[in-house]
Amino acid sequence: MDVHQRSLNAVGSSAPSGKSSKTKNEKHDSQSQPSLYLTNAVFFGLFFSVAYFLLHRWREKIRTSTPLHVLTISETVALLSLIASIFYLMAFFSISFVLHPFPVSRAVQYDEEDEEEVDRTTGSCLAGVTPKLPPLPSKTTVKKIAPAPVTVQLSSDDEEVVQAVVSGSIPSYSLETKLGDCRRAAAIRNQAVERVTGRSLEDLPMENFDYDSILGQCCEMPIGFVQIPVGVAGPLLLDGKEFTVPMATTEGCLVASTNRGCKAIYVSGGASAVVLRDGMTRAPVVRFNSAKRASQLKFFLEDPQNFDSLAHTFNKSSRFARLQNIKATIAGKNLYIRFTCSTGDAMGMNMVSKGVQNVLDFLQSDFPDMDVIGISGNYCSDKKAAAVNWIEGRGKSVVCEAVIKEEVVKKVLKTNVESLVELNMLKNLTGSAMAGALGGFNAHASNIVSAIYLATGQDPAQNVESSHCMTMMEAVNDGKDLHVSVTMPSIEVGTVGGGTELASQSACLNLLGVKGASKESPGANSRQLAIIVAGSVLAGELSLMSAIAAGQLVKSHMKYNRSSKDVTKIAS
């Protein structure tokens, strides 16, 4: 009985002791909270005040072209205070997680449930399938030539993945990431597409292509590649240099016709070309509450005194980007700002877009009411036929000319100077004007531009403005010889980036001697490529116009642009 009583007394005495300890801790926490709040308020205030001070000072340095690393005493103190406040705030938030940990068993349970919830709500690639993907198959030797299209052969492991893609358990777009093998991902996707659509892809080539080279750069979710034959025209004698021009096309007679034009130019002494302008453009659209306010930004941007600070901000985007000019136009309370800059050997759309974003961020401090609607407002104008490109130019503006001797016109082109001059005036100039053409005062410039663009890895959609061309023909030397020229204000090309990095396209650039970036003079290779495009267009215009003038267009297409299995019939 005494033992039992002592036990009860012990229990009773321990309970108040625990309660007393808990009360003391709560009292201590309540006493420490005011001081903690005060300390947090001080460091929060210090952080935002010195951050504002430093940003204000750096903006002034940018405007006055003062180096950012040159610091005054006040700026040094502010910088040290900023670092100290950052360390304190980081430590404070880190400690808050440590002070309230989960029990070990609860933490493990939380992670597992949370992972299942993420898979269920975000459509995880592995939802509903075994988490471990099949092992990668051993690499096999790739044949250099695929003699005939064959059905893609899959291993049993690949078959499991195909079924998962078809069922939707694994998203098609995630195959490269999940498998770590771009070739295998393309093969699996190829088969999944066949099964989902019920359409055969047997004739779409899969082998002999470097799928790693297009990942994150050229094409998403590949299932194969399309074959486009590449022919060569030339030699094209241009500015004293000979070029063999690669052309990727499926149109018969195009390469042959351009080749004939190259011959006429070559035997007449060659052509010459000049790059008139070199500048890529991007034009964002911004909006204000009034047209008056929009006009204030327009005047600010076009004021020569502000150009240096704007150019300094713009040029920070790249070591090759150099702002050339800014033009702005108003539509109501909306302002369209057209930036033009040089971009080295890159075509430069990404480069100029980054520079524009820098300037917009810079302007936001002086024009906080500026609402950026879009980084591109179509006043650029990219991949659209637009008068602004025809008049102001975009990319490389090139003029190319040649004098074709009278005997060459007769023997090689099978026509005469008078007929060519008359046809050009009535077809390319008057006829195009009657049609309301915009930049289309030519016979078929886009044919040659597209073929060279596909062969050299350019953006084929930019054929739209790049094919803007005016073809001129005039009798010279007492009417005996023919002066022919093409004026192309917006040839948009690059020799680095995008499709130029692919093996086939890189080989074609190498054939022209303009592969990669120019080490001696940045931008020289891309300008040379633009000149080659213009010279090739000159050859193509010369040959097609001659065929039309001589009445040979239909005859030549009937002879060379028809499929025949018996090549001896073509030769005859």
Side-chain angles (χ1 to χ4, degrees), residues 18-49:
K19 184 176 180 180
S20 174
S21 176
K22 182 178 180 181
T23 304
K24 290 180 181 179
N25 290 336
E26 290 177 351
K27 184 177 180 181
H28 180 268
D29 291 341
S30 63
Q31 291 176 350
S32 62
Q33 283 181 354
S35 59
L36 180 63
Y37 290 152
L38 179 61
T39 306
N40 289 344
V42 170
F43 276 96
F44 268 107
L46 179 65
F47 173 79
F48 287 110
S49 60

PDB file of all heavy atoms in Angstrom, residues 18-49:
ATOM      1  N   GLY A  18       6.452  19.064 -15.213  1.00  0.00           N
ATOM      2  CA  GLY A  18       6.455  19.217 -16.670  1.00  0.00           C
ATOM      3  C   GLY A  18       5.669  20.428 -17.091  1.00  0.00           C
ATOM      4  O   GLY A  18       6.045  21.167 -17.988  1.00  0.00           O
ATOM      5  N   LYS A  19       4.570  20.635 -16.480  1.00  0.00           N
ATOM      6  CA  LYS A  19       3.727  21.794 -16.837  1.00  0.00           C
ATOM      7  C   LYS A  19       4.441  23.083 -16.529  1.00  0.00           C
ATOM      8  O   LYS A  19       4.386  24.067 -17.284  1.00  0.00           O
ATOM      9  CB  LYS A  19       2.435  21.694 -16.046  1.00  0.00           C
ATOM     10  CG  LYS A  19       1.447  22.774 -16.393  1.00  0.00           C
ATOM     11  CD  LYS A  19       0.132  22.563 -15.649  1.00  0.00           C
ATOM     12  CE  LYS A  19      -0.871  23.645 -15.999  1.00  0.00           C
ATOM     13  NZ  LYS A  19      -2.162  23.466 -15.296  1.00  0.00           N
ATOM     14  N   SER A  20       5.184  23.070 -15.388  1.00  0.00           N
ATOM     15  CA  SER A  20       5.927  24.274 -15.020  1.00  0.00           C
ATOM     16  C   SER A  20       7.025  24.568 -16.025  1.00  0.00           C
ATOM     17  O   SER A  20       7.250  25.709 -16.407  1.00  0.00           O
ATOM     18  CB  SER A  20       6.529  24.078 -13.618  1.00  0.00           C
ATOM     19  OG  SER A  20       7.357  25.165 -13.281  1.00  0.00           O
ATOM     20  N   SER A  21       7.693  23.487 -16.513  1.00  0.00           N
ATOM     21  CA  SER A  21       8.768  23.679 -17.518  1.00  0.00           C
ATOM     22  C   SER A  21       8.203  24.244 -18.808  1.00  0.00           C
ATOM     23  O   SER A  21       8.789  25.122 -19.430  1.00  0.00           O
ATOM     24  CB  SER A  21       9.463  22.333 -17.777  1.00  0.00           C
ATOM     25  OG  SER A  21      10.425  22.464 -18.788  1.00  0.00           O
ATOM     26  N   LYS A  22       7.044  23.717 -19.223  1.00  0.00           N
ATOM     27  CA  LYS A  22       6.407  24.208 -20.452  1.00  0.00           C
ATOM     28  C   LYS A  22       6.017  25.669 -20.318  1.00  0.00           C
ATOM     29  O   LYS A  22       6.168  26.473 -21.235  1.00  0.00           O
ATOM     30  CB  LYS A  22       5.186  23.340 -20.752  1.00  0.00           C
ATOM     31  CG  LYS A  22       4.468  23.732 -22.027  1.00  0.00           C
ATOM     32  CD  LYS A  22       3.301  22.801 -22.284  1.00  0.00           C
ATOM     33  CE  LYS A  22       2.588  23.201 -23.564  1.00  0.00           C
ATOM     34  NZ  LYS A  22       1.410  22.328 -23.841  1.00  0.00           N
ATOM     35  N   THR A  23       5.530  26.037 -19.138  1.00  0.00           N
ATOM     36  CA  THR A  23       5.119  27.424 -18.911  1.00  0.00           C
ATOM     37  C   THR A  23       6.320  28.358 -18.986  1.00  0.00           C
ATOM     38  O   THR A  23       6.257  29.457 -19.541  1.00  0.00           O
ATOM     39  CB  THR A  23       4.440  27.541 -17.538  1.00  0.00           C
ATOM     40  OG1 THR A  23       3.358  26.634 -17.493  1.00  0.00           O
ATOM     41  CG2 THR A  23       3.948  28.956 -17.297  1.00  0.00           C
ATOM     42  N   LYS A  24       7.443  27.909 -18.462  1.00  0.00           N
ATOM     43  CA  LYS A  24       8.658  28.726 -18.505  1.00  0.00           C
ATOM     44  C   LYS A  24       9.126  28.955 -19.937  1.00  0.00           C
ATOM     45  O   LYS A  24       9.535  30.053 -20.309  1.00  0.00           O
ATOM     46  CB  LYS A  24       9.760  28.055 -17.690  1.00  0.00           C
ATOM     47  CG  LYS A  24       9.517  28.084 -16.195  1.00  0.00           C
ATOM     48  CD  LYS A  24      10.654  27.398 -15.453  1.00  0.00           C
ATOM     49  CE  LYS A  24      10.412  27.393 -13.940  1.00  0.00           C
ATOM     50  NZ  LYS A  24      11.521  26.710 -13.220  1.00  0.00           N
ATOM     51  N   ASN A  25       9.061  27.918 -20.776  1.00  0.00           N
ATOM     52  CA  ASN A  25       9.495  28.048 -22.174  1.00  0.00           C
ATOM     53  C   ASN A  25       8.600  29.007 -22.936  1.00  0.00           C
ATOM     54  O   ASN A  25       9.066  29.824 -23.733  1.00  0.00           O
ATOM     55  CB  ASN A  25       9.481  26.670 -22.856  1.00  0.00           C
ATOM     56  CG  ASN A  25      10.564  25.764 -22.325  1.00  0.00           C
ATOM     57  OD1 ASN A  25      11.573  26.256 -21.801  1.00  0.00           O
ATOM     58  ND2 ASN A  25      10.361  24.452 -22.438  1.00  0.00           N
ATOM     59  N   GLU A  26       7.294  28.868 -22.695  1.00  0.00           N
ATOM     60  CA  GLU A  26       6.367  29.778 -23.381  1.00  0.00           C
ATOM     61  C   GLU A  26       6.614  31.212 -22.952  1.00  0.00           C
ATOM     62  O   GLU A  26       6.540  32.144 -23.762  1.00  0.00           O
ATOM     63  CB  GLU A  26       4.935  29.358 -23.063  1.00  0.00           C
ATOM     64  CG  GLU A  26       4.534  28.048 -23.715  1.00  0.00           C
ATOM     65  CD  GLU A  26       3.124  27.634 -23.316  1.00  0.00           C
ATOM     66  OE1 GLU A  26       2.559  28.291 -22.398  1.00  0.00           O
ATOM     67  OE2 GLU A  26       2.613  26.663 -23.892  1.00  0.00           O
ATOM     68  N   LYS A  27       6.908  31.388 -21.657  1.00  0.00           N
ATOM     69  CA  LYS A  27       7.180  32.727 -21.164  1.00  0.00           C
ATOM     70  C   LYS A  27       8.442  33.300 -21.792  1.00  0.00           C
ATOM     71  O   LYS A  27       8.509  34.458 -22.194  1.00  0.00           O
ATOM     72  CB  LYS A  27       7.308  32.687 -19.639  1.00  0.00           C
ATOM     73  CG  LYS A  27       7.499  34.074 -19.008  1.00  0.00           C
ATOM     74  CD  LYS A  27       7.543  33.962 -17.510  1.00  0.00           C
ATOM     75  CE  LYS A  27       7.724  35.354 -16.876  1.00  0.00           C
ATOM     76  NZ  LYS A  27       7.783  35.265 -15.389  1.00  0.00           N
ATOM     77  N   HIS A  28       9.454  32.425 -21.935  1.00  0.00           N
ATOM     78  CA  HIS A  28      10.720  32.866 -22.554  1.00  0.00           C
ATOM     79  C   HIS A  28      10.502  33.243 -24.013  1.00  0.00           C
ATOM     80  O   HIS A  28      11.040  34.231 -24.519  1.00  0.00           O
ATOM     81  CB  HIS A  28      11.754  31.746 -22.419  1.00  0.00           C
ATOM     82  CG  HIS A  28      13.083  32.112 -23.026  1.00  0.00           C
ATOM     83  ND1 HIS A  28      13.400  31.816 -24.340  1.00  0.00           N
ATOM     84  CD2 HIS A  28      14.168  32.748 -22.493  1.00  0.00           C
ATOM     85  CE1 HIS A  28      14.614  32.258 -24.601  1.00  0.00           C
ATOM     86  NE2 HIS A  28      15.103  32.822 -23.500  1.00  0.00           N
ATOM     87  N   ASP A  29       9.712  32.433 -24.764  1.00  0.00           N
ATOM     88  CA  ASP A  29       9.435  32.726 -26.168  1.00  0.00           C
ATOM     89  C   ASP A  29       8.693  34.030 -26.310  1.00  0.00           C
ATOM     90  O   ASP A  29       8.960  34.832 -27.215  1.00  0.00           O
ATOM     91  CB  ASP A  29       8.617  31.590 -26.793  1.00  0.00           C
ATOM     92  CG  ASP A  29       9.433  30.320 -26.928  1.00  0.00           C
ATOM     93  OD1 ASP A  29      10.678  30.429 -26.890  1.00  0.00           O
ATOM     94  OD2 ASP A  29       8.819  29.238 -27.081  1.00  0.00           O
ATOM     95  N   SER A  30       7.714  34.276 -25.413  1.00  0.00           N
ATOM     96  CA  SER A  30       6.926  35.508 -25.510  1.00  0.00           C
ATOM     97  C   SER A  30       7.782  36.732 -25.231  1.00  0.00           C
ATOM     98  O   SER A  30       7.565  37.805 -25.788  1.00  0.00           O
ATOM     99  CB  SER A  30       5.753  35.440 -24.524  1.00  0.00           C
ATOM    100  OG  SER A  30       6.233  35.371 -23.191  1.00  0.00           O
ATOM    101  N   GLN A  31       8.794  36.572 -24.369  1.00  0.00           N
ATOM    102  CA  GLN A  31       9.680  37.695 -24.085  1.00  0.00           C
ATOM    103  C   GLN A  31      10.641  37.979 -25.235  1.00  0.00           C
ATOM    104  O   GLN A  31      11.027  39.113 -25.468  1.00  0.00           O
ATOM    105  CB  GLN A  31      10.465  37.393 -22.795  1.00  0.00           C
ATOM    106  CG  GLN A  31       9.607  37.397 -21.533  1.00  0.00           C
ATOM    107  CD  GLN A  31      10.396  37.009 -20.302  1.00  0.00           C
ATOM    108  OE1 GLN A  31      11.546  36.560 -20.422  1.00  0.00           O
ATOM    109  NE2 GLN A  31       9.787  37.176 -19.124  1.00  0.00           N
ATOM    110  N   SER A  32      11.017  36.896 -25.955  1.00  0.00           N
ATOM    111  CA  SER A  32      12.003  37.069 -27.036  1.00  0.00           C
ATOM    112  C   SER A  32      11.373  37.516 -28.339  1.00  0.00           C
ATOM    113  O   SER A  32      12.064  37.994 -29.235  1.00  0.00           O
ATOM    114  CB  SER A  32      12.751  35.756 -27.272  1.00  0.00           C
ATOM    115  OG  SER A  32      11.844  34.746 -27.692  1.00  0.00           O
ATOM    116  N   GLN A  33      10.057  37.361 -28.492  1.00  0.00           N
ATOM    117  CA  GLN A  33       9.412  37.705 -29.754  1.00  0.00           C
ATOM    118  C   GLN A  33       9.528  39.184 -30.131  1.00  0.00           C
ATOM    119  O   GLN A  33       9.816  39.519 -31.265  1.00  0.00           O
ATOM    120  CB  GLN A  33       7.951  37.271 -29.722  1.00  0.00           C
ATOM    121  CG  GLN A  33       7.767  35.775 -29.934  1.00  0.00           C
ATOM    122  CD  GLN A  33       6.308  35.384 -29.929  1.00  0.00           C
ATOM    123  OE1 GLN A  33       5.438  36.209 -29.660  1.00  0.00           O
ATOM    124  NE2 GLN A  33       6.060  34.111 -30.198  1.00  0.00           N
ATOM    125  N   PRO A  34       9.300  40.135 -29.176  1.00  0.00           N
ATOM    126  CA  PRO A  34       9.418  41.554 -29.555  1.00  0.00           C
ATOM    127  C   PRO A  34      10.797  41.912 -30.092  1.00  0.00           C
ATOM    128  O   PRO A  34      10.926  42.622 -31.095  1.00  0.00           O
ATOM    129  CB  PRO A  34       9.099  42.287 -28.252  1.00  0.00           C
ATOM    130  CG  PRO A  34       8.265  41.317 -27.471  1.00  0.00           C
ATOM    131  CD  PRO A  34       8.810  39.972 -27.787  1.00  0.00           C
ATOM    132  N   SER A  35      11.848  41.410 -29.434  1.00  0.00           N
ATOM    133  CA  SER A  35      13.204  41.722 -29.902  1.00  0.00           C
ATOM    134  C   SER A  35      13.476  41.096 -31.260  1.00  0.00           C
ATOM    135  O   SER A  35      14.166  41.676 -32.110  1.00  0.00           O
ATOM    136  CB  SER A  35      14.238  41.229 -28.887  1.00  0.00           C
ATOM    137  OG  SER A  35      14.124  39.815 -28.698  1.00  0.00           O
ATOM    138  N   LEU A  36      12.914  39.894 -31.490  1.00  0.00           N
ATOM    139  CA  LEU A  36      13.099  39.244 -32.789  1.00  0.00           C
ATOM    140  C   LEU A  36      12.390  40.016 -33.893  1.00  0.00           C
ATOM    141  O   LEU A  36      12.932  40.216 -34.985  1.00  0.00           O
ATOM    142  CB  LEU A  36      12.570  37.807 -32.724  1.00  0.00           C
ATOM    143  CG  LEU A  36      12.700  36.981 -34.013  1.00  0.00           C
ATOM    144  CD1 LEU A  36      14.178  36.809 -34.366  1.00  0.00           C
ATOM    145  CD2 LEU A  36      12.042  35.615 -33.837  1.00  0.00           C
ATOM    146  N   TYR A  37      11.181  40.481 -33.601  1.00  0.00           N
ATOM    147  CA  TYR A  37      10.440  41.293 -34.570  1.00  0.00           C
ATOM    148  C   TYR A  37      11.197  42.565 -34.914  1.00  0.00           C
ATOM    149  O   TYR A  37      11.265  42.984 -36.074  1.00  0.00           O
ATOM    150  CB  TYR A  37       9.058  41.651 -34.023  1.00  0.00           C
ATOM    151  CG  TYR A  37       8.106  40.487 -33.935  1.00  0.00           C
ATOM    152  CD1 TYR A  37       7.086  40.464 -32.990  1.00  0.00           C
ATOM    153  CD2 TYR A  37       8.237  39.396 -34.798  1.00  0.00           C
ATOM    154  CE1 TYR A  37       6.225  39.389 -32.891  1.00  0.00           C
ATOM    155  CE2 TYR A  37       7.382  38.322 -34.715  1.00  0.00           C
ATOM    156  CZ  TYR A  37       6.372  38.309 -33.766  1.00  0.00           C
ATOM    157  OH  TYR A  37       5.517  37.256 -33.682  1.00  0.00           O
ATOM    158  N   LEU A  38      11.768  43.205 -33.895  1.00  0.00           N
ATOM    159  CA  LEU A  38      12.503  44.444 -34.114  1.00  0.00           C
ATOM    160  C   LEU A  38      13.737  44.202 -34.976  1.00  0.00           C
ATOM    161  O   LEU A  38      14.028  44.960 -35.916  1.00  0.00           O
ATOM    162  CB  LEU A  38      12.912  45.043 -32.765  1.00  0.00           C
ATOM    163  CG  LEU A  38      13.725  46.358 -32.838  1.00  0.00           C
ATOM    164  CD1 LEU A  38      12.907  47.439 -33.528  1.00  0.00           C
ATOM    165  CD2 LEU A  38      14.135  46.806 -31.436  1.00  0.00           C
ATOM    166  N   THR A  39      14.456  43.102 -34.682  1.00  0.00           N
ATOM    167  CA  THR A  39      15.655  42.778 -35.475  1.00  0.00           C
ATOM    168  C   THR A  39      15.289  42.490 -36.926  1.00  0.00           C
ATOM    169  O   THR A  39      15.952  42.960 -37.873  1.00  0.00           O
ATOM    170  CB  THR A  39      16.375  41.557 -34.875  1.00  0.00           C
ATOM    171  OG1 THR A  39      16.653  41.785 -33.504  1.00  0.00           O
ATOM    172  CG2 THR A  39      17.681  41.283 -35.622  1.00  0.00           C
ATOM    173  N   ASN A  40      14.225  41.732 -37.136  1.00  0.00           N
ATOM    174  CA  ASN A  40      13.779  41.429 -38.505  1.00  0.00           C
ATOM    175  C   ASN A  40      13.403  42.696 -39.244  1.00  0.00           C
ATOM    176  O   ASN A  40      13.726  42.878 -40.423  1.00  0.00           O
ATOM    177  CB  ASN A  40      12.586  40.474 -38.466  1.00  0.00           C
ATOM    178  CG  ASN A  40      12.987  39.084 -38.028  1.00  0.00           C
ATOM    179  OD1 ASN A  40      14.166  38.752 -38.029  1.00  0.00           O
ATOM    180  ND2 ASN A  40      12.009  38.262 -37.644  1.00  0.00           N
ATOM    181  N   ALA A  41      12.679  43.591 -38.563  1.00  0.00           N
ATOM    182  CA  ALA A  41      12.252  44.834 -39.202  1.00  0.00           C
ATOM    183  C   ALA A  41      13.452  45.670 -39.621  1.00  0.00           C
ATOM    184  O   ALA A  41      13.476  46.266 -40.706  1.00  0.00           O
ATOM    185  CB  ALA A  41      11.361  45.619 -38.246  1.00  0.00           C
ATOM    186  N   VAL A  42      14.484  45.711 -38.742  1.00  0.00           N
ATOM    187  CA  VAL A  42      15.684  46.489 -39.054  1.00  0.00           C
ATOM    188  C   VAL A  42      16.385  45.941 -40.294  1.00  0.00           C
ATOM    189  O   VAL A  42      16.743  46.684 -41.213  1.00  0.00           O
ATOM    190  CB  VAL A  42      16.646  46.497 -37.842  1.00  0.00           C
ATOM    191  CG1 VAL A  42      17.994  47.099 -38.244  1.00  0.00           C
ATOM    192  CG2 VAL A  42      16.044  47.281 -36.691  1.00  0.00           C
ATOM    193  N   PHE A  43      16.565  44.624 -40.346  1.00  0.00           N
ATOM    194  CA  PHE A  43      17.296  44.042 -41.478  1.00  0.00           C
ATOM    195  C   PHE A  43      16.472  44.060 -42.760  1.00  0.00           C
ATOM    196  O   PHE A  43      17.020  44.223 -43.844  1.00  0.00           O
ATOM    197  CB  PHE A  43      17.730  42.614 -41.133  1.00  0.00           C
ATOM    198  CG  PHE A  43      19.013  42.550 -40.367  1.00  0.00           C
ATOM    199  CD1 PHE A  43      19.020  42.448 -38.991  1.00  0.00           C
ATOM    200  CD2 PHE A  43      20.228  42.629 -41.025  1.00  0.00           C
ATOM    201  CE1 PHE A  43      20.203  42.404 -38.281  1.00  0.00           C
ATOM    202  CE2 PHE A  43      21.421  42.578 -40.329  1.00  0.00           C
ATOM    203  CZ  PHE A  43      21.416  42.466 -38.945  1.00  0.00           C
ATOM    204  N   PHE A  44      15.163  43.875 -42.654  1.00  0.00           N
ATOM    205  CA  PHE A  44      14.312  44.005 -43.850  1.00  0.00           C
ATOM    206  C   PHE A  44      14.386  45.420 -44.402  1.00  0.00           C
ATOM    207  O   PHE A  44      14.522  45.645 -45.609  1.00  0.00           O
ATOM    208  CB  PHE A  44      12.867  43.646 -43.515  1.00  0.00           C
ATOM    209  CG  PHE A  44      12.530  42.207 -43.734  1.00  0.00           C
ATOM    210  CD1 PHE A  44      12.342  41.345 -42.673  1.00  0.00           C
ATOM    211  CD2 PHE A  44      12.408  41.702 -45.024  1.00  0.00           C
ATOM    212  CE1 PHE A  44      12.046  40.008 -42.877  1.00  0.00           C
ATOM    213  CE2 PHE A  44      12.103  40.369 -45.229  1.00  0.00           C
ATOM    214  CZ  PHE A  44      11.925  39.519 -44.160  1.00  0.00           C
ATOM    215  N   GLY A  45      14.264  46.399 -43.518  1.00  0.00           N
ATOM    216  CA  GLY A  45      14.345  47.797 -43.955  1.00  0.00           C
ATOM    217  C   GLY A  45      15.697  48.126 -44.548  1.00  0.00           C
ATOM    218  O   GLY A  45      15.809  48.846 -45.552  1.00  0.00           O
ATOM    219  N   LEU A  46      16.761  47.609 -43.912  1.00  0.00           N
ATOM    220  CA  LEU A  46      18.113  47.845 -44.423  1.00  0.00           C
ATOM    221  C   LEU A  46      18.280  47.240 -45.814  1.00  0.00           C
ATOM    222  O   LEU A  46      18.853  47.881 -46.711  1.00  0.00           O
ATOM    223  CB  LEU A  46      19.130  47.224 -43.453  1.00  0.00           C
ATOM    224  CG  LEU A  46      20.611  47.364 -43.846  1.00  0.00           C
ATOM    225  CD1 LEU A  46      21.025  48.830 -43.829  1.00  0.00           C
ATOM    226  CD2 LEU A  46      21.489  46.555 -42.892  1.00  0.00           C
ATOM    227  N   PHE A  47      17.771  46.032 -46.003  1.00  0.00           N
ATOM    228  CA  PHE A  47      17.907  45.354 -47.297  1.00  0.00           C
ATOM    229  C   PHE A  47      17.251  46.161 -48.427  1.00  0.00           C
ATOM    230  O   PHE A  47      17.873  46.445 -49.455  1.00  0.00           O
ATOM    231  CB  PHE A  47      17.277  43.966 -47.215  1.00  0.00           C
ATOM    232  CG  PHE A  47      17.205  43.245 -48.540  1.00  0.00           C
ATOM    233  CD1 PHE A  47      18.326  42.618 -49.075  1.00  0.00           C
ATOM    234  CD2 PHE A  47      16.033  43.218 -49.271  1.00  0.00           C
ATOM    235  CE1 PHE A  47      18.270  41.971 -50.287  1.00  0.00           C
ATOM    236  CE2 PHE A  47      15.967  42.575 -50.488  1.00  0.00           C
ATOM    237  CZ  PHE A  47      17.085  41.943 -50.994  1.00  0.00           C
ATOM    238  N   PHE A  48      16.000  46.560 -48.232  1.00  0.00           N
ATOM    239  CA  PHE A  48      15.286  47.256 -49.306  1.00  0.00           C
ATOM    240  C   PHE A  48      15.820  48.666 -49.540  1.00  0.00           C
ATOM    241  O   PHE A  48      15.883  49.141 -50.674  1.00  0.00           O
ATOM    242  CB  PHE A  48      13.786  47.313 -48.981  1.00  0.00           C
ATOM    243  CG  PHE A  48      13.093  45.995 -49.139  1.00  0.00           C
ATOM    244  CD1 PHE A  48      12.630  45.300 -48.035  1.00  0.00           C
ATOM    245  CD2 PHE A  48      12.922  45.430 -50.391  1.00  0.00           C
ATOM    246  CE1 PHE A  48      12.006  44.069 -48.176  1.00  0.00           C
ATOM    247  CE2 PHE A  48      12.297  44.200 -50.543  1.00  0.00           C
ATOM    248  CZ  PHE A  48      11.841  43.519 -49.430  1.00  0.00           C
ATOM    249  N   SER A  49      16.242  49.352 -48.472  1.00  0.00           N
ATOM    250  CA  SER A  49      16.738  50.725 -48.640  1.00  0.00           C
ATOM    251  C   SER A  49      18.073  50.745 -49.393  1.00  0.00           C
ATOM    252  O   SER A  49      18.253  51.535 -50.317  1.00  0.00           O
ATOM    253  CB  SER A  49      16.885  51.394 -47.266  1.00  0.00           C
ATOM    254  OG  SER A  49      17.799  50.676 -46.447  1.00  0.00           O
TER     255      SER A  49
END
